Amino acid sequence: MDDFQVFAKPVGAGCNLACSYCYYLDKNRLFSEPGVQRMSDDLLELYIKQHIQASREETIFFSWHGGEPTLAGLPYFRRITELQKKYLPENRYVINGIQTNGTLLDEEWCRFLKEENFVIGISIDGPEQFHSAHRFRKDGKSCFDEAIRGYYLLKSFQIPCEILCVVNAQNVVYPLEVYRFFKSLEAAFITFIPLVERLYPESDQVSERTVHAGDFGEFLCTIFDEWKTEDIGEVKVQIFEEALRTAFGVEHSLCIFKPTCGRVPVVEHNGDFYSCDHFVEPKYLIGNIREKSLSEMLEDPKQKVFGRDKLDSLPEYCLKCEVRTMCNGACPKDRFIETPDGEPGLNYLCEGYRMFFNHCKPFVEEVAKVWKMQQC
């Protein structure tokens, strides 16, 4: 079986924050139980066993997402690593990743994360005025100080840490302020996640918080120019790394830029398997791991169709695009506007992606030329 990455949701959509742009909080409506629910111990063991059985790589990667996965508690994560060791074959290795808001981390958590070789993605949207604009506690108060405290704790324990920054209509017009703030935190890995919120399903209208496609392109171009001049080898920015993969003829690692998708499903706290984190809806429910194995659902015809549809539905406008290999139409969730000639299925962020990939293309081609010379 080829590579896959499961977003496992040990507490489902449960979270201690109430961020205004969170697309996952309302997923609680899919389940009958009120409040924060935790994946039961027997189901957790079943999931870990199935995940290891489905993996063919020497290193097996687990991704723990939410909501806020640390709400499950430190003893719960100790149990996770115990179960992984129980089922791990000889000469195989496990890496765990947690995506967190960082506010619940303390020294005990960090000692554990360091001892068990976790990698962490932590959500920070830039300096306080940008972070606090949309990320706050349930009482409406800012969570910035707690998030930064969590980040510095991770740094002090030398835990590999990636900053996840949601780029919205507010912080997008301050690219260098955002980027330099992350550099002041000595960030080694940064991912910029563009915010796209449709006002309602089937609509091409977006919220006021949504980043404008052109602004997002300028944001990336501006940061790329500083990164290229000052920070190559010091800071890894995910979208820059993805663009450079094309210089070496290497397949994209990020699902949104791959030609097809379907290899990053979700397993909810009750064992339900959905096609994708952005498609947790009844239509995209493939099954439940209590009734069907993870391997079977990854290869389920319905899941295969979901993955191929990304390529099959690509507009002619995209098929002819000069930067298609860098973008491949990007995430299907954002393909809801029309092409200039009226064909449906263009990505809302097309203008921005096309701007950025054309901007960095000469540099990527130069890298490719140098690399090919070195291979001779």
Side-chain angles (χ1 to χ4, degrees), residues 127-332:
E128 182 171 9
Q129 68 269 32
F130 301 133
H131 184 89
S132 299
H134 300 292
R135 301 188 62 81
F136 32 74
R137 303 192 313 233
K138 292 185 184 296
D139 62 5
K141 294 181 180 178
S142 170
C143 63
F144 179 78
D145 289 343
E146 291 98 323
I148 295 299
R149 176 189 54 78
Y151 173 78
Y152 278 123
L153 270 173
L154 293 167
K155 292 283 286 185
S156 69
F157 280 83
Q158 298 181 314
I159 297 166
C161 184
E162 176 183 18
I163 288 178
L164 308 172
C165 172
V166 174
V167 184
N168 53 70
Q170 183 174 6
N171 60 3
V172 72
V173 292
Y174 297 94
L176 293 182
E177 189 170 347
V178 170
Y179 180 57
R180 289 170 183 171
F181 172 72
F182 293 147
K183 288 202 292 182
S184 76
L185 297 180
E186 299 181 341
F189 303 93
I190 305 169
T191 291
F192 293 115
I193 304 168
L195 177 63
V196 180
E197 293 181 318
R198 298 169 77 170
L199 289 179
Y200 50 88
E202 311 307 321
S203 169
D204 62 359
Q205 300 300 305
V206 296
S207 70
E208 291 184 355
R209 292 188 293 258
T210 292
V211 67
H212 186 277
D215 289 345
F216 184 57
E218 291 177 6
F219 176 92
L220 294 174
C221 291
T222 301
I223 293 174
F224 178 80
D225 289 344
E226 176 153 317
W227 173 84
K228 183 177 67 171
T229 303
E230 300 182 10
D231 304 314
I232 291 180
E234 298 295 325
V235 180
K236 289 187 181 295
V237 179
Q238 187 183 54
I239 192 170
F240 302 168
E241 299 293 318
E242 288 296 323
L244 283 164
R245 292 177 79 87
T246 62
F248 308 112
V250 178
E251 181 182 328
H252 285 294
S253 63
L254 186 60
C255 62
I256 67 171
F257 296 134
K258 290 184 176 183
T260 59
C261 57
R263 305 306 289 177
V264 190
V266 164
V267 171
E268 276 288 350
H269 68 284
N270 67 345
D272 283 347
F273 177 112
Y274 289 89
S275 294
C276 169
D277 194 45
H278 291 286
F279 292 86
V280 177
E281 296 291 342
K283 178 180 177 182
Y284 300 99
L285 175 63
I286 304 299
N288 189 287
I289 62 171
R290 289 194 187 276
E291 301 159 358
K292 200 173 181 182
S293 74
L294 191 67
S295 294
E296 289 178 292
M297 287 189 283
L298 284 163
E299 302 303 319
D300 188 282
K302 187 177 175 182
Q303 183 70 2
K304 292 287 191 179
V305 168
F306 174 84
R308 287 196 306 269
D309 189 58
K310 180 182 180 184
L311 176 60
D312 294 344
S313 64
L314 203 61
E316 188 69 20
Y317 181 78
C318 297
L319 292 171
K320 296 177 179 178
C321 181
E322 70 279 2
V323 291
R324 178 192 165 186
T325 57
M326 291 181 168
C327 173
N328 285 306
C331 187

